[in-house]
Amino acid sequence: MRRSDLSGPPPSASPAAPTQAAPTQAAPSPASPTPASPAPPALVEEEATVSRSSLKVRPAQDQPSRRRASGATATGGSRWRSLLGLRQSDDTQEVRRNDLRKDGQPSPSTGGRSTRLRPELPTITLPRVQIPAAITQTGARLVDLTGERIKPLAERSAPVWRPVARALGWVSPLGWTVLVLGLVSWWFAGRYGWTELAMIAAACLVLFLACVALAIGHAKVEIRTDVDPTRVVVGEPATGRIEVRNLSGRGMLPLLVELPVGRSAARFTLPSLGSGKSHEELFVVPTERRGVIQVGPATTVHGDPLGLVRRTMEWTERTELFVHPLTTSLEPLGAGLLRDLEGQVTPDLSMSDLAFHALREYQPGDDRRYIHWRSSAKHDRLLVRQFLDTRRSHLAVVVDTTPEVYTGEDAAVELAISCAASLAVRSILDEQDTTVVVGDQQISRATAPLTLDTFARAAVGPTDVFGSASDGAALAPDASVAILVTGSHRPFIQVQRALAQFEVEVIKVALVIDPDAQVGVRHAGGLTILTVRELGDLRRVLFSGALA
């Protein structure tokens, strides 16, 4: 059965179309006077594959695609398909040959349903929008030129806009809120005639203007701040003093003075001062932790009690208070090192030094000044003096400040810094050259206070121990002893590689901080490993001559 038979005759049937003249069945109809001619094979295949859904009779106007299949004129849908490059409706009516048996019946795999090929929709790829490089480069040039031209103009007009910007900075967020509320209420009161909003606007604006008037006043004072002492050890008391003197020719109203001390701030409410009078206040600086505490600058605060307008003026500079780490007294780090004019004698042979070693036979290139003529005449051959290399003692200390490699993290890092500071101070007292690398801080050949200041500035954080040891070797190329202070969780191979940055003849020591280990001294991989649990154990391990 064909679809054209179900849809009815087309509006303009053509006698030449084979699909219109062919019968619907292979057997002759009793109403026909003559038997029908057999249908062509292609028509048999098309008739054998008609699905049940195509047997439903639908209006012709709702099925434009089916009219095209029966030979009707192509509609707008077919024209769109041809423009998009899709297959025509005639191709969609073809049947896969593999799905048909030889007798024209559908294969079992199709289940008796239509196996028409459906057209695939084309894939439309939208091009990525890219801004041409010329536009971006032109924009960058315009920004640079604009900045270059505006900067001189801004510098020339700075005396005009800087005071305005500074005055706008006096107003706090609460003050801006009150001002905006007053202006908005004023506008609504004038627009709609609301008396209540007019009263709110008047109150807000009068309050804001009164606060601005309180902040405009200028106080002629002299402020001095002192911290004594400027260097303390953790836990030692440190006190400060602030003195305010009235330099104006008239009395001064009560004044609020703020003095930042570390992360906090001390506030002093000064009483009324007459002309030339002064007032002094004392404060205590907390020193529970190692570090550098910034004291100052002292500022006077002008404004209102509500905090709508706040104007501050700085009167002093910043003062640094150094809180040094705890240290312990150690015995002299003799370790067989000479502290005289000759320095430290090493087993390295030298051709020019002060420590005489022996005589040897002259070789071409030797300095003739060192020929021992008496011995040469006695042995009937030239003999020259040979010396031992000597140098001044130099201690290099590298501290690993990574909390993760210590048991106890921050507290153990502070213990490591205290041990390193104790070694450095003892080395300086022994008149040895000392180099310290702790975290991001470095110092070499300095006094004990400056070295302890370096320890106070050191911050606790991840450290590249290999890079720190390399910096220590660069600062102390003539080091005689190198000590790396680290934790028990640092792999031994990393400690060994870090200390390998120093010369071969340098005594290499690894000071391990481990509260759970046993205090002792051992040797491994060419290193001397000292293990301590607390600061007092450092004297015990050094007393055994671990640095010899």
Side-chain angles (χ1 to χ4, degrees), residues 149-191:
R149 294 182 179 181
I150 292 178
K151 186 176 181 180
L153 180 61
E155 292 178 353
R156 289 195 297 267
S157 60
V160 177
W161 61 264
R162 279 184 181 175
V164 177
R166 192 180 299 111
L168 294 177
W170 298 351
V171 184
S172 65
L174 179 60
W176 288 115
T177 303
V178 172
L179 178 60
V180 171
L181 178 61
L183 295 177
V184 172
S185 301
W186 183 24
W187 185 84
F188 275 101
R191 179 68 180 273

Short mmCIF file of all heavy atoms in Angstrom, two decimals, residues 149-191:
data_model
loop_
_atom_site.label_atom_id
_atom_site.label_comp_id
_atom_site.label_asym_id
_atom_site.label_seq_id
_atom_site.Cartn_x
_atom_site.Cartn_y
_atom_site.Cartn_z
N ARG A 149 50.73 61.26 31.00
CA ARG A 149 50.29 62.66 30.95
C ARG A 149 49.55 63.08 32.21
O ARG A 149 49.61 64.24 32.61
CB ARG A 149 49.38 62.86 29.73
CG ARG A 149 50.12 62.69 28.40
CD ARG A 149 49.20 62.94 27.22
NE ARG A 149 49.91 62.80 25.95
CZ ARG A 149 49.34 62.97 24.75
NH1 ARG A 149 48.05 63.29 24.69
NH2 ARG A 149 50.06 62.81 23.66
N ILE A 150 48.82 62.15 32.81
CA ILE A 150 48.07 62.50 34.02
C ILE A 150 48.98 62.63 35.23
O ILE A 150 48.74 63.45 36.13
CB ILE A 150 46.96 61.45 34.26
CG1 ILE A 150 45.90 61.56 33.17
CG2 ILE A 150 46.33 61.63 35.63
CD1 ILE A 150 44.79 60.55 33.30
N LYS A 151 50.06 61.82 35.28
CA LYS A 151 50.93 61.86 36.44
C LYS A 151 51.56 63.23 36.68
O LYS A 151 51.52 63.74 37.80
CB LYS A 151 52.01 60.78 36.29
CG LYS A 151 52.90 60.64 37.51
CD LYS A 151 53.88 59.49 37.33
CE LYS A 151 54.76 59.35 38.58
NZ LYS A 151 55.73 58.24 38.42
N PRO A 152 52.14 63.88 35.66
CA PRO A 152 52.65 65.24 35.92
C PRO A 152 51.55 66.21 36.33
O PRO A 152 51.76 67.07 37.20
CB PRO A 152 53.28 65.65 34.58
CG PRO A 152 53.58 64.36 33.90
CD PRO A 152 52.48 63.43 34.30
N LEU A 153 50.36 66.06 35.72
CA LEU A 153 49.26 66.95 36.09
C LEU A 153 48.83 66.71 37.53
O LEU A 153 48.54 67.66 38.28
CB LEU A 153 48.08 66.73 35.14
CG LEU A 153 46.83 67.58 35.39
CD1 LEU A 153 47.16 69.06 35.25
CD2 LEU A 153 45.71 67.18 34.43
N ALA A 154 48.80 65.44 37.94
CA ALA A 154 48.43 65.14 39.32
C ALA A 154 49.47 65.66 40.30
O ALA A 154 49.12 66.13 41.40
CB ALA A 154 48.26 63.63 39.49
N GLU A 155 50.74 65.59 39.93
CA GLU A 155 51.78 66.11 40.82
C GLU A 155 51.69 67.63 40.94
O GLU A 155 51.90 68.18 42.02
CB GLU A 155 53.15 65.70 40.30
CG GLU A 155 53.41 64.19 40.39
CD GLU A 155 54.76 63.82 39.84
OE1 GLU A 155 55.43 64.72 39.27
OE2 GLU A 155 55.16 62.64 39.94
N ARG A 156 51.38 68.31 39.83
CA ARG A 156 51.28 69.77 39.90
C ARG A 156 50.05 70.22 40.68
O ARG A 156 50.08 71.26 41.34
CB ARG A 156 51.24 70.36 38.49
CG ARG A 156 52.57 70.28 37.76
CD ARG A 156 52.56 71.18 36.53
NE ARG A 156 51.55 70.75 35.57
CZ ARG A 156 51.79 69.92 34.55
NH1 ARG A 156 53.01 69.42 34.38
NH2 ARG A 156 50.83 69.59 33.71
N SER A 157 48.96 69.44 40.58
CA SER A 157 47.74 69.82 41.29
C SER A 157 47.64 69.18 42.67
O SER A 157 46.57 69.24 43.29
CB SER A 157 46.51 69.42 40.46
OG SER A 157 46.51 68.02 40.23
N ALA A 158 48.70 68.54 43.13
CA ALA A 158 48.67 67.89 44.44
C ALA A 158 48.34 68.85 45.57
O ALA A 158 47.59 68.49 46.49
CB ALA A 158 49.99 67.17 44.71
N PRO A 159 48.87 70.09 45.58
CA PRO A 159 48.50 71.00 46.68
C PRO A 159 47.01 71.30 46.75
O PRO A 159 46.53 71.76 47.79
CB PRO A 159 49.30 72.28 46.35
CG PRO A 159 50.45 71.80 45.54
CD PRO A 159 49.91 70.67 44.71
N VAL A 160 46.27 71.01 45.69
CA VAL A 160 44.83 71.29 45.70
C VAL A 160 44.04 70.08 46.16
O VAL A 160 43.17 70.19 47.03
CB VAL A 160 44.37 71.75 44.30
CG1 VAL A 160 42.86 71.99 44.27
CG2 VAL A 160 45.12 73.01 43.89
N TRP A 161 44.33 68.90 45.56
CA TRP A 161 43.48 67.76 45.84
C TRP A 161 43.92 66.95 47.05
O TRP A 161 43.11 66.23 47.63
CB TRP A 161 43.39 66.85 44.61
CG TRP A 161 44.71 66.26 44.16
CD1 TRP A 161 45.53 66.73 43.19
CD2 TRP A 161 45.31 65.05 44.65
NE1 TRP A 161 46.62 65.93 43.05
CE2 TRP A 161 46.52 64.88 43.93
CE3 TRP A 161 44.98 64.12 45.63
CZ2 TRP A 161 47.38 63.82 44.17
CZ3 TRP A 161 45.83 63.07 45.86
CH2 TRP A 161 47.01 62.91 45.14
N ARG A 162 45.18 67.06 47.44
CA ARG A 162 45.61 66.28 48.61
C ARG A 162 44.95 66.74 49.90
O ARG A 162 44.51 65.91 50.70
CB ARG A 162 47.13 66.33 48.73
CG ARG A 162 47.84 65.35 47.80
CD ARG A 162 49.32 65.37 48.00
NE ARG A 162 49.98 64.43 47.09
CZ ARG A 162 51.31 64.30 46.98
NH1 ARG A 162 52.10 65.07 47.71
NH2 ARG A 162 51.80 63.43 46.13
N PRO A 163 44.85 68.04 50.18
CA PRO A 163 44.12 68.43 51.39
C PRO A 163 42.65 68.00 51.37
O PRO A 163 42.09 67.62 52.40
CB PRO A 163 44.26 69.96 51.41
CG PRO A 163 45.49 70.24 50.62
CD PRO A 163 45.50 69.20 49.55
N VAL A 164 42.04 68.06 50.17
CA VAL A 164 40.65 67.63 50.08
C VAL A 164 40.54 66.13 50.36
O VAL A 164 39.65 65.69 51.10
CB VAL A 164 40.08 67.97 48.69
CG1 VAL A 164 38.65 67.47 48.56
CG2 VAL A 164 40.14 69.48 48.46
N ALA A 165 41.44 65.34 49.76
CA ALA A 165 41.39 63.90 50.01
C ALA A 165 41.68 63.57 51.47
O ALA A 165 41.07 62.67 52.05
CB ALA A 165 42.41 63.20 49.10
N ARG A 166 42.60 64.33 52.07
CA ARG A 166 42.90 64.10 53.49
C ARG A 166 41.70 64.46 54.37
O ARG A 166 41.40 63.76 55.34
CB ARG A 166 44.12 64.92 53.89
CG ARG A 166 44.69 64.55 55.25
CD ARG A 166 45.89 65.39 55.60
NE ARG A 166 46.97 65.21 54.64
CZ ARG A 166 47.37 66.14 53.77
NH1 ARG A 166 46.77 67.33 53.75
NH2 ARG A 166 48.36 65.90 52.94
N ALA A 167 41.01 65.54 54.02
CA ALA A 167 39.83 65.93 54.80
C ALA A 167 38.71 64.91 54.64
O ALA A 167 37.98 64.60 55.60
CB ALA A 167 39.36 67.32 54.38
N LEU A 168 38.54 64.37 53.43
CA LEU A 168 37.51 63.34 53.25
C LEU A 168 37.84 62.07 54.01
O LEU A 168 36.95 61.32 54.40
CB LEU A 168 37.33 63.04 51.76
CG LEU A 168 36.78 64.18 50.89
CD1 LEU A 168 36.73 63.75 49.43
CD2 LEU A 168 35.40 64.61 51.38
N GLY A 169 39.13 61.82 54.21
CA GLY A 169 39.52 60.64 54.97
C GLY A 169 39.22 60.75 56.45
O GLY A 169 39.28 59.73 57.15
N TRP A 170 38.95 61.94 56.94
CA TRP A 170 38.59 62.09 58.36
C TRP A 170 37.24 61.43 58.68
O TRP A 170 37.05 60.94 59.79
CB TRP A 170 38.50 63.57 58.73
CG TRP A 170 39.78 64.32 58.58
CD1 TRP A 170 41.01 63.82 58.31
CD2 TRP A 170 39.94 65.75 58.68
NE1 TRP A 170 41.94 64.82 58.23
CE2 TRP A 170 41.31 66.02 58.47
CE3 TRP A 170 39.07 66.80 58.93
CZ2 TRP A 170 41.82 67.32 58.48
CZ3 TRP A 170 39.57 68.09 58.97
CH2 TRP A 170 40.93 68.34 58.75
N VAL A 171 36.34 61.45 57.72
CA VAL A 171 34.97 60.99 57.98
C VAL A 171 34.96 59.46 58.04
O VAL A 171 35.45 58.78 57.13
CB VAL A 171 34.01 61.50 56.91
CG1 VAL A 171 32.57 61.11 57.24
CG2 VAL A 171 34.12 63.02 56.77
N SER A 172 34.40 58.93 59.07
CA SER A 172 34.28 57.48 59.24
C SER A 172 33.06 56.97 58.48
O SER A 172 32.21 57.75 58.04
CB SER A 172 34.16 57.14 60.73
OG SER A 172 32.95 57.67 61.26
N PRO A 173 32.93 55.65 58.30
CA PRO A 173 31.72 55.13 57.64
C PRO A 173 30.43 55.54 58.35
O PRO A 173 29.41 55.78 57.68
CB PRO A 173 31.93 53.60 57.70
CG PRO A 173 33.43 53.45 57.73
CD PRO A 173 33.95 54.60 58.52
N LEU A 174 30.47 55.62 59.68
CA LEU A 174 29.28 56.08 60.40
C LEU A 174 28.98 57.53 60.07
O LEU A 174 27.81 57.92 59.92
CB LEU A 174 29.50 55.92 61.91
CG LEU A 174 28.35 56.38 62.81
CD1 LEU A 174 27.07 55.63 62.51
CD2 LEU A 174 28.74 56.24 64.29
N GLY A 175 30.01 58.34 59.92
CA GLY A 175 29.79 59.74 59.56
C GLY A 175 29.20 59.89 58.18
O GLY A 175 28.28 60.71 57.97
N TRP A 176 29.69 59.10 57.20
CA TRP A 176 29.10 59.16 55.86
C TRP A 176 27.65 58.71 55.89
O TRP A 176 26.80 59.25 55.15
CB TRP A 176 29.90 58.28 54.90
CG TRP A 176 31.24 58.84 54.53
CD1 TRP A 176 32.46 58.32 54.81
CD2 TRP A 176 31.49 60.04 53.80
NE1 TRP A 176 33.47 59.11 54.31
CE2 TRP A 176 32.90 60.19 53.68
CE3 TRP A 176 30.68 61.03 53.25
CZ2 TRP A 176 33.50 61.25 53.02
CZ3 TRP A 176 31.27 62.10 52.58
CH2 TRP A 176 32.66 62.20 52.48
N THR A 177 27.34 57.72 56.71
CA THR A 177 25.95 57.26 56.81
C THR A 177 25.04 58.36 57.33
O THR A 177 23.93 58.59 56.80
CB THR A 177 25.88 56.03 57.72
OG1 THR A 177 26.75 55.00 57.21
CG2 THR A 177 24.47 55.49 57.81
N VAL A 178 25.49 59.06 58.36
CA VAL A 178 24.68 60.15 58.92
C VAL A 178 24.51 61.27 57.90
O VAL A 178 23.41 61.84 57.74
CB VAL A 178 25.31 60.67 60.22
CG1 VAL A 178 24.59 61.93 60.71
CG2 VAL A 178 25.31 59.60 61.29
N LEU A 179 25.57 61.60 57.16
CA LEU A 179 25.48 62.66 56.16
C LEU A 179 24.52 62.28 55.04
O LEU A 179 23.67 63.09 54.62
CB LEU A 179 26.87 62.96 55.60
CG LEU A 179 26.95 64.02 54.50
CD1 LEU A 179 26.44 65.36 55.00
CD2 LEU A 179 28.37 64.14 53.96
N VAL A 180 24.63 61.08 54.52
CA VAL A 180 23.74 60.65 53.43
C VAL A 180 22.29 60.60 53.92
O VAL A 180 21.37 60.99 53.19
CB VAL A 180 24.20 59.28 52.89
CG1 VAL A 180 23.17 58.72 51.91
CG2 VAL A 180 25.56 59.42 52.22
N LEU A 181 22.08 60.11 55.14
CA LEU A 181 20.72 60.07 55.69
C LEU A 181 20.13 61.47 55.79
O LEU A 181 18.96 61.71 55.47
CB LEU A 181 20.74 59.38 57.04
CG LEU A 181 19.38 59.29 57.77
CD1 LEU A 181 18.38 58.49 56.94
CD2 LEU A 181 19.57 58.68 59.15
N GLY A 182 20.95 62.45 56.22
CA GLY A 182 20.45 63.81 56.33
C GLY A 182 20.11 64.41 54.98
O GLY A 182 19.07 65.07 54.81
N LEU A 183 20.96 64.17 53.96
CA LEU A 183 20.69 64.73 52.63
C LEU A 183 19.46 64.09 51.99
O LEU A 183 18.64 64.77 51.37
CB LEU A 183 21.92 64.54 51.74
CG LEU A 183 23.19 65.31 52.17
CD1 LEU A 183 24.35 64.98 51.25
CD2 LEU A 183 22.91 66.81 52.18
N VAL A 184 19.34 62.76 52.12
CA VAL A 184 18.18 62.10 51.53
C VAL A 184 16.87 62.55 52.21
O VAL A 184 15.85 62.80 51.55
CB VAL A 184 18.35 60.56 51.62
CG1 VAL A 184 17.08 59.85 51.21
CG2 VAL A 184 19.52 60.12 50.75
N SER A 185 16.91 62.67 53.54
CA SER A 185 15.72 63.14 54.25
C SER A 185 15.37 64.56 53.86
O SER A 185 14.17 64.92 53.73
CB SER A 185 15.95 63.04 55.76
OG SER A 185 16.24 61.71 56.15
N TRP A 186 16.36 65.38 53.66
CA TRP A 186 16.12 66.76 53.24
C TRP A 186 15.45 66.80 51.86
O TRP A 186 14.52 67.56 51.62
CB TRP A 186 17.44 67.51 53.24
CG TRP A 186 17.32 68.97 52.89
CD1 TRP A 186 16.22 69.76 53.01
CD2 TRP A 186 18.36 69.79 52.35
NE1 TRP A 186 16.49 71.03 52.59
CE2 TRP A 186 17.81 71.09 52.18
CE3 TRP A 186 19.69 69.59 52.02
CZ2 TRP A 186 18.55 72.14 51.67
CZ3 TRP A 186 20.42 70.64 51.52
CH2 TRP A 186 19.87 71.90 51.35
N TRP A 187 15.93 65.95 50.94
CA TRP A 187 15.35 65.95 49.60
C TRP A 187 13.89 65.49 49.63
O TRP A 187 13.02 66.09 49.00
CB TRP A 187 16.18 65.04 48.69
CG TRP A 187 15.71 65.07 47.27
CD1 TRP A 187 16.04 65.97 46.30
CD2 TRP A 187 14.80 64.14 46.67
NE1 TRP A 187 15.41 65.68 45.12
CE2 TRP A 187 14.64 64.55 45.31
CE3 TRP A 187 14.12 63.03 47.12
CZ2 TRP A 187 13.81 63.86 44.42
CZ3 TRP A 187 13.30 62.35 46.23
CH2 TRP A 187 13.15 62.75 44.90
N PHE A 188 13.63 64.40 50.36
CA PHE A 188 12.26 63.91 50.44
C PHE A 188 11.35 64.91 51.16
O PHE A 188 10.17 65.07 50.78
CB PHE A 188 12.21 62.56 51.16
CG PHE A 188 12.47 61.40 50.25
CD1 PHE A 188 13.71 60.80 50.21
CD2 PHE A 188 11.47 60.91 49.43
CE1 PHE A 188 13.96 59.74 49.39
CE2 PHE A 188 11.71 59.84 48.58
CZ PHE A 188 12.96 59.24 48.55
N ALA A 189 11.87 65.58 52.19
CA ALA A 189 11.05 66.57 52.90
C ALA A 189 10.71 67.75 52.00
O ALA A 189 9.57 68.26 52.03
CB ALA A 189 11.79 67.05 54.15
N GLY A 190 11.67 68.19 51.18
CA GLY A 190 11.37 69.28 50.26
C GLY A 190 10.47 68.87 49.11
O GLY A 190 9.71 69.68 48.58
N ARG A 191 10.53 67.59 48.70
CA ARG A 191 9.73 67.13 47.56
C ARG A 191 8.29 66.85 47.96
O ARG A 191 7.35 67.21 47.24
CB ARG A 191 10.38 65.88 46.98
CG ARG A 191 9.65 65.28 45.79
CD ARG A 191 9.73 66.21 44.58
NE ARG A 191 9.04 65.64 43.44
CZ ARG A 191 9.60 64.81 42.56
NH1 ARG A 191 10.88 64.48 42.72
NH2 ARG A 191 8.92 64.35 41.54
#
